[in-house]
Amino acid sequence: QVHLVESGGGSVQAGGSLRLSCAGSGYTFGNSFMGWFRQAPGKEREGVAGISRDAFAIYADSVKGRFTISRDNAKNTVYLQMNSLNSGDTAMYYCAAASSVGTWSGALQAETYNYWGQGTQVTVSS
């Protein structure tokens, strides 16, 4: 049974940083494409970042230069380092796993992913 468990969310002031973690189990983590998504109240789920098994990364334009996705296959964990946070980053953040993503742009599309975590809340106050 596949499990993805996010941690590291919380409340932070604008300009601050948070590091999210997502631990995976029940599947071959090292062969999977991993992604981070977020969903704010009243908005659709948005792809934030994705990382291939070889650690190539893709980012949404809204977070480029501020967020960094990384993975540690030995620990079955993917991370999202978030810097220079602003109120627009407030959302529930989810990690997701996919066996493949097809085209590179599919890495930021929710329908690409097979498995999802329960989410961790990030709140940025101005």
Side-chain angles (χ1 to χ4, degrees), residues 1-5 22-27 29 76 95 97 115-118:
Q1 190 173 2
V2 175
H3 287 288
L4 295 172
V5 181
C22 172
S25 62
Y27 68 106
F29 181 90
N76 287 1
C95 75
Y115 305 108
W116 292 84
Q118 294 299 308

Side-chain angles (χ1 to χ4, degrees), residues 7-89:
S7 61
S11 296
V12 64
Q13 289 191 329
S17 298
L18 284 173
R19 188 195 196 202
L20 306 183
S21 299
C22 172
S25 62
Y27 68 106
T28 307
F29 181 90
N31 289 340
S32 298
F33 200 103
M34 300 298 297
W36 283 99
F37 289 76
R38 66 186 182 187
Q39 189 166 18
K43 294 188 176 181
E44 292 187 357
R45 191 165 295 192
E46 171 191 21
V48 175
I51 187 166
S52 71
R53 62 178 66 92
D54 298 322
F56 290 100
I58 184 172
Y59 298 94
D61 288 343
S62 59
V63 306
K64 279 182 182 176
R66 299 189 299 123
F67 290 12
T68 302
I69 188 171
S70 61
R71 65 190 297 161
D72 185 337
N73 290 339
K75 296 182 178 180
N76 287 1
T77 301
V78 62
Y79 304 97
L80 186 68
Q81 177 67 44
M82 306 186 295
N83 299 328
S84 302
L85 287 161
N86 58 60
S87 58
D89 297 315

